[in-house]
Amino acid sequence: LNKNKVLFNMITAIVLCRSNSSRLKNKHFYKIGGKPLLEIIVDKLSNIKLINEIYIATGSKKKNSKYLSLKKNKKNLKFFFHRNEKNVSERIFFLSKKIKNNYCLIVSGDCPIIDNNFVQLLYKKLSSKPLYDLVKFSKKVYYEGLNLVKTNSWEKIYKISKKKDFFAEHFSKIFDYKAKELKIKIITTPKSFLKPKNSKMRLSIDTISDLNFFETIFLKVKNFNKLNLNSIKRYLHLTKINEHVLQRKVGETYDKKVLIVTAINDKIGYGHLKRCLVLKRQIEETFSTNIDFKYLNKHHVNNKFK
């Protein structure tokens, strides 16, 4: 009985991801230091002693079967497919009914910075307050996409998610919502985790520039264990690589209409194309919009086009 009690007080990590992300499709398979982003995240979670079970929680199996390739050599890795891929709150709730552990660590599949000391602190604070559903820091922390929640609290969270449309996809906004059904303990933010107000640092990967930022950090540290918050704070000047990237706000839509047209041929070369591709990427990342891009070669040029 005591052994089961200890087991149930462990943590199940739930990694949220889907292939059809709006800005960078299949981003979880992009590589940092030669290793796919999602594999880095799973390995980091595997090294946290409190975690004894890891789920990849994604959309339908038909669209997301690619994730099964991660099963190789990952004994504690499990998969959960949910047909309604945009309803993240529902996805976690349905999965929570399969979990025996008392706690779930909800992990965003695009945030590779997961440190043992941060998870330990969340666990210590929440496990010592058994009447609460989750704990929240009083001020913003560097870490993104990490929430420790009591497993049996997901039924309440799922019910609350039906109150507002955007709660379904953005469950973390429920924790900012003053819901009487939830008991949230606010805890003091340690100085080492406190994010300065004007900091433009991004620890999530939504664009190629975000990916380049982490690749550059890895080239400095050359070790996945050292790919952590301390290393990133040491190289803060490198945030210029992706500080222009606009992080979409919940409920905002972007309908800027931009068309880039250029020409390529043997006479003028390919420089215009390359420069326009740089402009395309910069505009898309800065304004979170999609650009219609067309290039013309000698086969396209005719009297009708002129």
Side-chain angles (χ1 to χ4, degrees), residues 26-44 66-67 69-70 74 109 112 205 211 224 227:
N26 288 309
K27 61 184 175 181
H28 309 100
F29 294 94
Y30 279 82
K31 294 181 179 180
I32 299 171
K35 185 185 285 191
L37 168 61
L38 196 54
E39 191 173 337
I40 293 171
I41 291 171
V42 170
D43 286 347
K44 283 183 174 288
K66 189 174 182 179
Y67 291 108
S69 63
L70 292 164
K74 309 287 182 189
I205 296 177
L211 188 71
F224 289 109
L227 189 66

Side-chain angles (χ1 to χ4, degrees), residues 251-272:
E252 281 191 335
T253 57
Y254 299 87
D255 57 355
K256 294 180 185 294
K257 302 200 184 312
V258 181
L259 171 65
I260 296 179
V261 182
T262 187
I264 58 170
N265 56 51
D266 295 338
K267 186 176 180 181
I268 65 170
Y270 293 81
H272 295 301

Side-chain angles (χ1 to χ4, degrees), residues 205-231:
I205 296 177
D206 293 311
T207 66
I208 292 295
S209 290
D210 294 328
L211 188 71
N212 291 160
F213 170 72
F214 281 100
E215 287 175 333
T216 307
I217 295 291
F218 184 80
L219 286 173
K220 297 286 185 184
V221 299
K222 298 176 182 177
N223 187 312
F224 289 109
N225 291 329
K226 292 180 180 178
L227 189 66
N228 54 32
L229 181 60
N230 290 334
S231 296

